Amino acid sequence: MTELCKKYNPTVYYYPAIMIVYLASLISLDLIHPGIASALFVTASAFYCILAGKLKIYKKKNPADIVMGVWLIYNLLSGIWTVGYGMPLSVYLGELFSTALPMFFYFAARETDEETKEKFFRYFIWAVTLIGIAGVILFITAPQFYIDYLYRLEYVSKADVSTMRVRMHSVIGSTLMGYLPVVAMLFSEHFILSCKKKIYIVFFFLNCFLAFMSNQRAAMVAAILVVVYINYLIFFTFRLFDKKYFFMEIGAFAVLLVGLAAVFHGAFMKVYYRLVSLPGAVGQRSDQWIGAANNMKNIWLGNGLGANGHRAIGLQEHLIADGGLAKLYCEMGILGTSIFIFLMIVIIKRGFRNLRYSSAETGIVIMTLLVSIGSNMMSFALAVPVLYFAVGCIVDRDRQ
């Protein structure tokens, strides 16, 4: 039975399966709803982790497991005060499937063997790359059925080509289309540093391109930081190549940027203006964060899971449309936020202590926290699983 659990780990197939469902939803949103499929798959993964724990697959004990368990239980229990403060049960349940249950991916990674971890990485890279390629094709061809699809999902405000081409949404939305390729870049970095197949260099740059196609400021900045990060690891931390190649690369990038500015001047300037506007975006959103914080029902316990998110539209005056960390504070309060901060400090410290083993996962955690300053990334059912899988990998790979 234990071997059966290991062989048919549903967490490994989560991203390929969900991406297939998203693509299939182009046929009919009435017949195929990605959200329902995602909730079912996350639930299956949670039950797998519970069953695996009972079968004692998890042989190692670690204090981080306790902190993670407390954080998960706190999120689950917060539904009591979500409903107690007047929110419908549906608000809590919706957030439960997208935010809390995906935390079980931590336990799935915690004692998963190295081969299975890398299988998760590979499947993730392929799934995100394929959904990105599909997005590029739909972006270029712009069929009306696809535009209507985006309009129905409220990804676009008008059902026309020009509005659709402001950002590349693929079938998962531009926010995820920005975030997930950056994660794929970091997983590709894992294989690049371990010298496993040169194809992952192609995946790295292809997903960098997809992140920029999303036209999401945070994703573009994150992609640039990941490029800097991998160069730092290759040339200065692990010293895999002579530094002369680093300067050659800088020269090649400079020539490439000049060429792009000359040939695609309009697109280049569009990206430039988006990047330089990032600081102003944080300032614009700070008012909603302050307003929500000043109107918390309980400063210590918070408003409860989901109370300040999109699912509370029309039910809560002070929502946080953009700002996952601020949303977390308002919903989890001082107590819950302290648990989360402590967990992240422990994880990042362990990641840097064992950077040789966990450079990709450490990058994912830090990048997610940075992106979550201006977006509700930790409330997406397609984003949370990979974050906590990365956290579990860091703990499992901690050799000291």
Side-chain angles (χ1 to χ4, degrees):
M1 188 66 175
T2 301
E3 292 300 320
L4 191 66
C5 273
K6 287 183 177 181
K7 184 177 180 180
Y8 296 104
N9 184 341
T11 59
V12 172
Y13 306 100
Y14 175 77
Y15 281 95
I18 296 304
M19 293 306 185
I20 290 171
V21 173
Y22 266 93
L23 283 173
S25 69
L26 284 168
I27 300 171
S28 174
L29 276 170
D30 295 320
L31 295 176
I32 305 169
H33 197 289
I36 296 174
S38 180
L40 290 173
F41 222 98
V42 165
T43 304
S45 299
F47 275 111
Y48 161 79
C49 293
I50 294 169
L51 178 61
K54 287 183 178 179
L55 292 171
K56 298 182 180 180
I57 291 176
Y58 309 123
K59 297 177 182 178
K60 298 178 182 179
K61 303 298 179 183
N62 196 295
D65 295 342
I66 299 173
V67 180
M68 185 64 217
V70 170
W71 173 235
L72 172 59
I73 292 170
Y74 187 89
N75 276 264
L76 296 175
L77 291 178
S78 70
I80 296 172
W81 48 96
T82 301
V83 177
Y85 289 136
M87 289 289 147
L89 182 61
S90 59
V91 171
Y92 166 70
L93 291 178
E95 203 75 13
L96 174 73
F97 286 112
S98 63
T99 301
L101 287 185
M103 293 179 189
F104 276 99
F105 275 69
Y106 167 90
F107 300 100
R110 180 64 182 88
E111 290 296 336
T112 298
D113 58 48
E114 203 61 33
E115 183 181 350
T116 306
K117 284 185 178 69
E118 292 199 344
K119 182 185 288 187
F120 180 94
F121 298 170
R122 288 196 302 271
Y123 286 3
F124 180 92
I125 293 169
W126 277 100
V128 173
T129 302
L130 290 175
I131 211 76
I133 292 172
V136 172
I137 295 171
L138 292 167
F139 182 87
I140 294 172
T141 58
Q144 190 58 46
F145 79 87
Y146 172 65
I147 298 173
D148 294 336
Y149 171 90
L150 295 180
Y151 183 75
R152 182 173 175 183
L153 290 173
E154 299 182 350
Y155 289 156
V156 295
S157 57
K158 293 181 180 180
D160 56 39
V161 176
S162 58
T163 304
M164 181 275 288
R165 284 182 174 160
V166 171
R167 299 178 181 181
M168 190 181 80
H169 296 275
S170 187
V171 291
I172 58 176
S174 62
T175 302
L176 284 168
M177 201 62 251
Y179 171 79
L180 294 179
V182 178
V183 176
M185 289 173 66
L186 285 161
F187 279 151
S188 298
E189 172 257 305
H190 167 83
F191 292 109
I192 292 170
L193 293 183
S194 57
C195 301
K196 293 182 178 179
K197 297 184 180 179
K198 295 180 180 178
I199 186 65
Y200 290 104
I201 298 175
V202 177
F203 280 125
F204 182 88
F205 287 105
L206 179 55
N207 278 283
C208 183
F209 168 73
L210 294 176
F212 274 83
M213 284 293 291
S214 72
N215 201 23
Q216 289 285 341
R217 289 171 290 200
M220 290 189 284
V221 171
I224 293 170
L225 290 177
V226 170
V227 172
V228 174
Y229 178 59
I230 189 174
N231 276 277
Y232 179 77
L233 293 175
I234 289 174
F235 293 105
F236 298 95
T237 302
F238 305 137
R239 298 179 182 179
L240 300 178
F241 297 100
D242 193 283
K243 289 182 182 178
K244 68 179 181 181
Y245 295 108
F246 172 68
F247 295 109
M248 291 171 62
E249 183 182 335
I250 290 177
F253 267 113
V255 172
L256 178 62
L257 288 175
V258 172
L260 289 174
V263 179
F264 303 103
H265 182 71
F268 182 87
M269 293 308 297
K270 181 180 179 181
V271 171
Y272 172 77
Y273 288 129
R274 287 287 289 169
L275 290 174
V276 298
S277 68
L278 185 62
V282 175
Q284 293 167 7
R285 291 164 179 168
S286 61
D287 288 341
Q288 66 171 246
W289 302 343
I290 295 170
N294 289 338
N295 288 273
M296 290 171 64
K297 302 292 191 303
N298 187 313
I299 192 172
W300 289 102
L301 294 178
N303 297 332
L305 191 65
N308 289 92
H310 290 90
R311 293 179 176 85
I313 292 176
L315 303 169
Q316 169 75 278
E317 182 180 354
H318 296 280
L319 301 177
I320 298 178
D322 297 293
L325 298 181
K327 176 177 176 290
L328 183 146
Y329 170 72
C330 291
E331 293 183 352
M332 298 292 105
I334 293 175
L335 181 58
T337 304
S338 298
I339 297 171
F340 179 77
I341 291 174
F342 180 70
L343 175 65
M344 290 298 106
I345 291 174
V346 169
I347 294 305
I348 292 172
K349 181 180 178 181
R350 291 188 178 199
F352 278 110
R353 187 170 69 192
N354 297 281
L355 203 58
R356 187 74 183 184
Y357 302 103
S358 304
S359 59
E361 294 86 346
T362 305
I364 289 169
V365 173
I366 294 174
M367 182 271 294
T368 304
L369 293 176
L370 290 174
V371 171
S372 294
I373 294 173
S375 70
N376 290 345
M377 194 53 62
M378 291 186 291
S379 293
F380 284 92
L382 278 178
V384 180
V386 71
L387 168 64
Y388 285 102
F389 193 88
V391 170
C393 287
I394 291 172
V395 175
D396 189 43
R397 285 172 171 163
D398 190 6
R399 308 296 182 182
Q400 299 182 20

